[in-house]
Amino acid sequence: MTTPQHILKHTFGYDHFRGQQETIIQTLINGQDALVLMPTGGGKSLCYQIPALLRAGTGIVISPLIALMQDQVDALTQLGIRASFLNSSLSREQVYATERALFSGGIDLLYIAPERLTQERTLQLLKQIPISLFAIDEAHCVSQWGHDFRADYLQLSLLHEHFPQIPRVALTATADSRTRNEIIQRLQLQSAQQFTSSFDRPNIQYRITPKTSPRKQLLHFLRTEHPSDSGIVYCLSRSKVDDTAAWLSSEGFTALPYHAGQTQEMRALHQKRFLVEENIIIVATIAFGMGINKPDVRFVAHLDLPKSLEAYYQETGRAGRDGKPATAWLAYGLQDVIKLRQMLEGSQGSEQHKRVERHKLDAMLGLCEITSCRRHALLHYFGETPADLDGTTASSDQTPTSIGKAPLIAAHAQGCGNCDNCLNPVRTFDATIPTQKLLSCIYRTGQRFGSQHLVDVLRGESTEKISQFRHEQLSTYGIGKELDKTQWLSILRQLTARGYLNVDMEGFGALQLTERCRPVLRSEERILLREEIPQPKASSRHKQTGNSLAKRVAEANIAEADLPLWEALRGCRRKLAEQQKVPPYVIFHDSTLLNMLEQRPRTLTEMRELSGVGVTKLERYGDAFLEVLREY
Ligand code: ADP
Ligand code: ZN
């Protein structure tokens, strides 16, 4: 009898299960339901692929990502797994052929879009064939509060009614408890076993920097740390995506735009190029990313503030799926806060919905302004305590805590050592007096002006606006010359993020005082703010060579003398990938190639020992790589 362990080695070429994979697989083999919460790159797919191969019948995978089904099926085919999909991109003949294969028992895994699954015709079809399990991928799409909501996912509760005997597994990388509870309710998974992994992504370095001149900052980041890496740059609007991509191209990068305003063909082309080619930067709105399983995305940069920590964590989580060092870089400024608050207040949602959104945005701002470890704050928000971080299980039953509410989150004794605040500890300074000056200035100018004008008044500048409103006659005119413009803007931003100042949405972003200001003005509260360091020196981990190929090669300890062989192995992989029309990493991951370089297998049997080499890939590609190895 075949075992999960045997399939792991035989088909996938891996030696050990990761984290809770084995228990999850056993649960499904036993016919029980499961809910799997695992971070991106954690290895969710194996959790349903292996039981689908071991149980009788076809495994049905429900996925919202029509555009990626072909890629998923291609990758499985490379492993020798009989996989197929049903979605609206297929012709009638292709659908019939797939249906015939299903009836003859020729399909191990069938990918299907939710809207297709819930059609009467599909349900009838599925009732006539043996089914091993249902896997509901990206299960957070069922959440109406999330930004990936798909109405069709709500219908999936019918699986339980139509197929009560067949085990179901729901999988997601969204960590918050609210979403998890919604998944359980809406998919009727009350009796499912729950598996929660730690959401920590230790290889991702989190960095958040004040926005001064965003393009210059981004360029510096890319040039010094990721000059020839694949990565994603997120922007809020479509036009900014287009502009940024064009500008990056003019700076010598291969940058492709991606947003919902493009034609389907254009999006598909850019996505494909990102997956297949090396060193491509995708500049995108949040429309991009779900289901992209490219393992070697080395950075995710945000030029605009995400709306929530959930979105931030999901987007940054697309970096470094292969476990190698990657950077999450975000530049944010006061204008971001104003823009997002404006969008939120102007949106159609109910008051309750807006309240939730406001709370989420405040938590995001809280993360930007904290002076302690960012990773701990993030994980804390998702219900993990630092003590959990070295284990695999996490207590996530607490409700998410609000980073936004507490002026400063209590610093944990030890930081993670791989976020900007840990690498370059932030200095705080007593800002009580400047804050009082600023607050009175806002008050005396009638709470009708934005940040630029307020700073001008404080610094005693002479501008047209100042003479127009006669603000040079105010007692607060020129009382803040001791700080420069950047320092004042930083104070303004921090006070806004912490709820001392409100942005008036009707009045073009005028800043107003809130209740919280009273104790400050009465000198009953001390204000400690982060001191803006001139631009943080590049963090030690990425200094100089950054994440460039040279650095990765150095990290992987490739000796100078091995470089020609390394390049030859990569060349061989590239050629095979082109022939097979799949991305290079679908042939073999970098880690497998590195293994090859170290072990120098001389026979197919030796090659078979390497991690990532299953029997099918051995048959297909073993000889080609052996030949390269022999030449050197
Ligand atoms: P996600 O949880 O994001 O869906 P995947 O299922 O795509 O993650 O897995 C991420 C990567 O890790 C894949 O390349 C996969 O082949 C690899 N992987 C998964 N499980 C193991 C394992 N037990 N040993 C080695 N590699 C694994
Ligand atoms: Zn840290």
Side-chain angles (χ1 to χ4, degrees):
M1 170 97 198
T2 337
T3 61
Q5 184 72 45
H6 175 78
I7 298 201
L8 181 71
K9 181 69 190 158
H10 180 89
T11 305
F12 295 90
Y14 299 139
D15 291 316
H16 309 285
F17 283 111
R18 268 192 200 158
Q20 298 175 302
Q21 280 177 331
E22 195 168 14
T23 333
I24 298 166
I25 290 169
Q26 207 54 58
T27 303
L28 290 166
I29 291 178
N30 294 343
Q32 287 170 284
D33 296 340
L35 173 59
V36 175
L37 298 108
M38 222 186 245
T40 307
K44 285 187 283 300
S45 334
L46 280 190
C47 297
Y48 60 81
Q49 287 164 352
I50 292 185
L53 294 172
L54 276 169
R55 284 174 63 92
T58 303
I60 309 293
V61 186
I62 297 127
S63 160
L65 307 159
I66 293 187
L68 289 170
M69 284 185 187
Q70 183 72 57
D71 293 345
Q72 287 168 318
V73 165
D74 286 348
L76 289 169
T77 309
Q78 291 291 327
L79 293 166
I81 296 173
R82 303 173 305 169
S84 217
F85 63 85
L86 279 178
N87 67 30
S88 49
S89 75
L90 295 180
S91 70
R92 196 175 286 239
E93 282 65 38
Q94 288 171 310
V95 171
Y96 288 151
T98 305
E99 292 183 356
R100 273 197 303 279
L102 271 177
F103 278 116
S104 65
I107 295 183
D108 300 317
L109 278 165
L110 179 74
Y111 285 76
I112 190 162
E115 60 276 13
R116 181 120 194 165
L117 177 89
T118 49
Q119 286 169 10
E120 195 49 37
R121 178 184 152 79
T122 317
L123 290 173
Q124 287 314 320
L125 170 78
L126 295 183
K127 282 185 180 163
Q128 297 170 53
I129 58 163
I131 294 174
S132 54
L133 57 78
F134 286 104
I136 303 165
D137 206 5
E138 313 285 357
H140 62 280
C141 290
V142 82
S143 162
Q144 280 170 308
W145 301 99
H147 50 273
D148 290 329
F149 174 62
R150 305 284 171 113
D152 295 305
Y153 261 67
L154 292 178
Q155 305 291 314
L156 293 178
S157 61
L158 60 73
L159 287 178
H160 179 55
E161 288 134 32
H162 286 251
F163 305 92
Q165 307 302 332
I166 297 174
R168 293 172 299 146
V169 52
L171 309 103
T172 180
T174 301
D176 61 309
S177 54
R178 175 187 201 115
T179 310
R180 183 186 45 185
N181 292 333
E182 269 189 278
I183 294 174
I184 296 173
Q185 293 301 323
R186 298 189 200 276
L187 298 180
Q188 302 196 17
L189 284 168
Q190 286 84 354
S191 52
Q193 285 248 41
Q194 288 186 34
F195 298 91
T196 307
S197 309
S198 169
F199 274 76
D200 189 18
R201 302 286 309 281
N203 60 314
I204 299 181
Q205 181 175 97
Y206 296 100
R207 279 160 45 196
I208 300 178
T209 180
K211 206 187 264 188
T212 46
S213 43
R215 285 193 169 185
K216 234 173 154 178
Q217 290 171 288
L218 179 65
L219 202 59
H220 179 75
F221 167 67
L222 294 177
R223 291 241 162 96
T224 54
E225 302 185 35
H226 299 282
S228 52
D229 284 332
S230 301
I232 309 173
V233 176
Y234 280 110
C235 306
L236 194 58
S237 70
R238 297 171 184 184
S239 59
K240 185 160 171 186
V241 162
D242 286 330
D243 294 348
T244 307
W247 161 72
L248 279 175
S249 302
S250 74
E251 293 289 344
F253 293 92
T254 314
L256 306 172
Y258 186 105
H259 56 70
Q262 295 170 319
T263 61
Q264 182 92 40
E265 293 72 43
M266 173 90 91
R267 281 205 305 267
L269 176 73
H270 289 179
Q271 175 171 303
K272 187 105 207 158
R273 286 192 60 190
F274 181 63
L275 295 179
V276 172
E277 295 175 32
E278 287 166 345
N279 316 334
I280 301 253
I281 297 177
I282 278 275
V283 185
T285 59
I286 53 168
F288 181 78
M290 202 192 351
I292 296 289
N293 52 10
K294 185 174 169 62
D296 55 354
V297 175
R298 295 269 65 88
F299 66 89
V300 170
H302 281 93
L303 276 180
D304 293 304
L305 191 68
K307 290 189 183 107
S308 65
L309 286 175
E310 287 84 354
Y312 172 74
Y313 207 59
Q314 205 174 57
E315 284 152 21
T316 54
R318 289 168 185 144
R321 287 172 83 117
D322 54 10
K324 308 230 169 69
T327 321
W329 182 92
L330 159 68
Y332 107 106
L334 184 62
Q335 285 312 311
D336 287 312
V337 185
I338 294 177
K339 208 185 294 167
L340 285 181
R341 290 216 172 131
Q342 263 165 349
M343 281 168 65
L344 197 158
E345 300 306 332
S347 73
Q348 298 293 317
S350 65
E351 193 39 48
Q352 189 202 358
H353 186 73
K354 283 185 188 172
R355 203 161 45 235
V356 174
E357 297 294 300
R358 252 180 244 131
H359 174 83
K360 289 187 169 182
L361 178 56
D362 286 345
M364 183 69 228
L365 291 173
L367 180 76
C368 295
E369 296 297 355
I370 56 164
T371 50
S372 55
C373 176
R374 304 224 200 252
R375 182 183 316 275
H376 285 178
L378 268 170
L379 291 167
H380 187 56
Y381 179 81
F382 292 120
E384 285 184 48
T385 57
D388 294 323
L389 299 184
D390 34 64
T392 47
T393 45
S395 66
S396 38
D397 270 332
Q398 308 128 336
T399 41
T401 45
S402 162
I403 296 176
K405 260 186 220 149
L408 281 177
I409 199 161
H412 297 299
Q414 283 167 334
C416 70
N418 196 25
C419 73
D420 49 1
N421 287 352
C422 285
L423 291 163
N424 297 304
V426 186
R427 281 212 301 255
T428 55
F429 72 107
D430 188 334
T432 314
I433 292 184
T435 301
Q436 287 171 334
K437 289 182 180 174
L438 173 67
L439 298 182
S440 13
C441 184
I442 294 177
Y443 184 73
R444 304 230 173 266
T445 49
Q447 313 197 50
R448 289 162 48 215
F449 296 90
S451 53
Q452 298 295 334
H453 182 67
L454 291 167
V455 173
D456 285 343
V457 176
L458 282 164
R459 293 196 24 84
E461 312 284 355
S462 27
T463 67
E464 229 173 78
K465 210 166 178 177
I466 284 179
S467 35
Q468 184 191 342
F469 292 97
R470 304 188 166 219
H471 282 165
E472 71 280 349
Q473 293 174 7
L474 294 176
S475 59
T476 51
Y477 181 74
I479 56 168
K481 288 185 176 149
E482 72 277 18
L483 298 179
D484 66 20
K485 195 170 168 182
T486 320
Q487 288 169 314
W488 277 118
L489 287 175
S490 159
I491 293 175
L492 267 162
R493 196 193 65 231
Q494 296 187 58
L495 292 175
T496 309
R498 293 190 194 174
Y500 290 95
L501 301 179
N502 231 345
V503 183
D504 177 17
M505 294 312 156
E506 328 254 280
F508 303 101
L511 292 165
Q512 301 170 332
L513 309 186
T514 69
E515 271 307 301
R516 291 194 71 166
C517 295
R518 279 183 202 279
V520 185
L521 286 167
R522 287 200 298 252
S523 294
E524 288 163 10
E525 186 183 335
R526 233 176 103 218
I527 301 278
L528 283 181
L529 294 180
R530 59 187 290 151
E531 196 172 290
E532 235 50 276
I533 325 166
Q535 273 306 302
K537 293 170 237 103
S539 50
S540 57
R541 278 266 291 252
H542 293 308
K543 231 178 221 164
Q544 288 152 2
T545 46
N547 264 330
S548 62
L549 177 67
K551 162 112 188 280
R552 266 182 288 150
V553 165
E555 266 182 3
N557 272 327
I558 296 183
E560 191 74 29
D562 285 345
L563 279 179
L565 173 55
W566 170 246
E567 282 309 320
L569 290 171
R570 280 165 51 95
C572 175
R573 174 175 70 173
R574 205 174 306 123
K575 209 174 70 205
L576 292 168
E578 275 162 22
Q579 282 166 10
Q580 300 285 318
K581 298 194 171 55
V582 294
Y585 59 80
V586 169
I587 304 288
F588 284 132
H589 279 190
D590 278 359
S591 54
T592 305
L593 287 197
L594 283 169
N595 231 227
M596 233 178 252
L597 192 69
E598 278 162 19
Q599 308 289 330
R600 306 279 168 108
R602 281 159 307 172
T603 62
L604 286 174
T605 323
E606 285 178 11
M607 176 84 86
R608 175 84 184 79
E609 290 304 306
L610 305 180
S611 173
V613 185
V615 279
T616 307
K617 287 191 177 172
L618 183 74
E619 259 169 43
R620 290 192 183 185
Y621 311 124
D623 284 326
F625 285 97
L626 280 179
E627 196 159 317
V628 176
L629 287 161
R630 246 177 250 130
E631 274 174 41
Y632 286 82

